[in-house]
Amino acid sequence: MQFDQFLKEVAVYLGLQWRPFQRRGIKRKVERRLTQLGLFDFETYLKRIKDDPTEHAYLSNILTVTISRFFRDKEVFDALETSILPAILRNREKSDLKIWSIGCASGEEPYSFSLLWKENFEKEYPGILLSILATDIDEKMIERAKEGRYKKSCLREVPENILRHYFRAENGFYVLNEVIRKGVEFRAHNILEEESFSNMDIVFSRNLAFTYFSKESQIKVLKKLATCLNDHGYLIIGKDETLPFTYPTLFIPIFQSEKIYKKFNPTDLVGLNEVL
Ligand SMILES: C[S@@+](CC[C@H](N)C(=O)[O-])C[C@H]1O[C@@H](n2cnc3c(N)ncnc32)[C@H](O)[C@@H]1O
């Protein structure tokens, strides 16, 4: 089996599109992996991926970029701080606030939310119990996320006061304060194949499903996202992503350029203020 054929078949199997892949870099990585595993051809590797969930996760990780940053697309976090969270908290009947970050990489996204909450809302809302769930298909990313050690390059959008307060420098890395680390629950989870969670207030699904997944997988994920959110929940996707064509039946855009959507709820259709 040639590499291109392998890539096409494996992409379909993993629910990914195969066009955006940077073919050469990926070929090198896959060949290196074959050598590590003592395998000699792509056909045997394909079989291995189908039989072994760890290898499935390993390859998904290779085929999707895993780079992230704290406060990536700062405008999204600004919109959360000034509009979305105040709107959620204004009408809060329950005492918990549930957040889910899907494809969380090394934890930059869920930790950014945690820092935003700590800095701007925690004191004012002592009765709200914040729970942040962060999932990624790759166990290694999850372990790295729990460690909370970062290079300066993924901290460039972090405000200076937050950097000073919540990170300490150690051997060329920046280590996140333990209190923030403990506030996020990390779990290995494949969004395409595993059961979803429920009753979420905000779901981050950025730079994964709507970039790398095939159209069929995107629709499958979109339906899952609508189900896991509560009736007034919000979905945040990546700045360069678009939702599949079925979305108007499930979500309405709230902030177009920040790519923040609200779960479609017919009772909200009174005016934008009501919707928010
Ligand atoms: C580019 S990162 C996105 C990080 C973060 N959400 C952001 O926007 O900065 C994509 C992550 O998705 C993970 N991933 C790939 N396939 C996945 C799947 N099927 N389920 C869950 N996570 C997956 C990868 O391991 C990687 O860490």
Side-chain angles (χ1 to χ4, degrees):
M1 180 187 268
Q2 298 292 313
F3 180 69
D4 279 357
Q5 186 58 28
F6 164 78
L7 201 52
K8 262 188 206 164
E9 285 195 31
V10 88
V12 172
Y13 180 73
L14 298 175
L16 301 171
Q17 300 179 38
W18 71 283
R19 266 172 302 134
F21 302 155
Q22 293 156 325
R23 217 188 132 278
R24 270 175 54 205
I26 284 170
K27 185 165 188 247
R28 240 180 292 120
K29 285 185 188 166
V30 172
E31 284 171 344
R32 205 179 307 140
R33 186 63 177 164
L34 255 66
T35 312
Q36 282 169 357
L37 297 171
L39 302 178
F40 298 102
D41 59 87
F42 294 120
E43 211 157 354
T44 320
Y45 187 43
L46 185 60
K47 189 168 176 312
R48 171 80 174 255
I49 289 158
K50 290 181 180 174
D51 292 343
D52 178 355
T54 311
E55 205 49 41
H56 179 139
Y58 186 91
L59 196 73
S60 292
N61 180 286
I62 287 185
L63 299 183
T64 56
V65 172
T66 55
I67 293 164
S68 187
R69 299 190 305 276
F70 275 79
F71 295 99
R72 183 177 195 169
D73 303 320
K74 179 84 174 39
E75 321 79 76
V76 171
F77 289 89
D78 291 344
L80 279 168
E81 180 187 338
T82 57
S83 308
I84 305 292
L85 281 167
I88 293 177
L89 295 163
R90 204 182 308 131
N91 305 315
R92 184 89 311 196
E93 281 155 15
K94 57 190 186 90
S95 60
D96 60 347
L97 181 68
K98 290 178 72 173
I99 313 298
W100 182 14
S101 162
I102 300 171
C104 65
S106 315
E108 295 86 343
E109 185 174 83
Y111 285 144
S112 299
F113 187 89
S114 180
L115 288 164
L116 176 83
W117 178 263
K118 186 115 195 127
E119 277 291 288
N120 301 289
F121 295 93
E122 191 179 72
K123 279 203 189 84
E124 204 181 324
Y125 296 92
I128 298 279
L129 185 68
L130 173 66
S131 80
I132 306 176
L133 173 67
T135 58
D136 198 283
I137 193 171
D138 188 349
E139 303 237 10
K140 281 206 202 88
M141 297 305 278
I142 294 292
E143 288 315 309
R144 216 185 289 168
K146 286 181 189 165
E147 280 177 19
R149 283 162 63 82
Y150 299 95
K151 287 191 186 144
K152 185 80 200 259
S153 56
C154 49
L155 298 169
R156 62 173 187 265
E157 280 157 289
V158 177
E160 192 51 45
N161 63 321
I162 292 192
L163 197 60
R164 246 184 296 112
H165 259 92
Y166 298 99
F167 291 84
R168 74 184 144 77
E170 192 183 276
N171 302 328
F173 287 89
Y174 287 78
V175 182
L176 181 61
N177 180 316
E178 202 182 345
V179 175
I180 302 294
R181 277 190 280 138
K182 289 220 160 117
V184 177
E185 181 193 354
F186 288 98
R187 280 201 217 171
H189 178 270
N190 179 347
I191 183 63
L192 268 174
E193 301 202 342
E194 291 179 72
E195 281 290 302
S196 173
F197 302 92
S198 63
N199 221 6
M200 294 291 163
D201 291 293
I202 302 173
V203 171
F204 289 85
S205 175
R206 301 196 302 162
N207 307 304
L208 169 63
F210 306 112
T211 298
Y212 295 102
F213 289 0
S214 65
K215 286 290 164 218
E216 300 76 55
S217 307
Q218 290 192 16
I219 291 169
K220 191 169 148 187
V221 169
L222 191 71
K223 285 182 185 155
K224 264 193 189 177
L225 298 180
T227 316
C228 79
L229 281 164
N230 68 33
D231 282 351
H232 303 281
Y234 294 86
L235 167 65
I236 306 176
I237 66 170
K239 279 292 287 279
D240 299 320
E241 295 181 316
T242 37
L243 289 180
F245 63 91
T246 49
Y247 98 81
T249 57
L250 299 169
F251 290 98
I252 47 169
I254 295 290
F255 288 99
Q256 294 265 16
S257 64
E258 289 79 8
K259 301 286 170 78
I260 302 180
Y261 296 80
K262 193 172 186 205
K263 184 164 159 175
F264 177 69
N265 184 341
T267 58
D268 279 342
L269 288 179
V270 185
L272 190 60
N273 290 338
E274 290 292 322
V275 172
L276 240 188

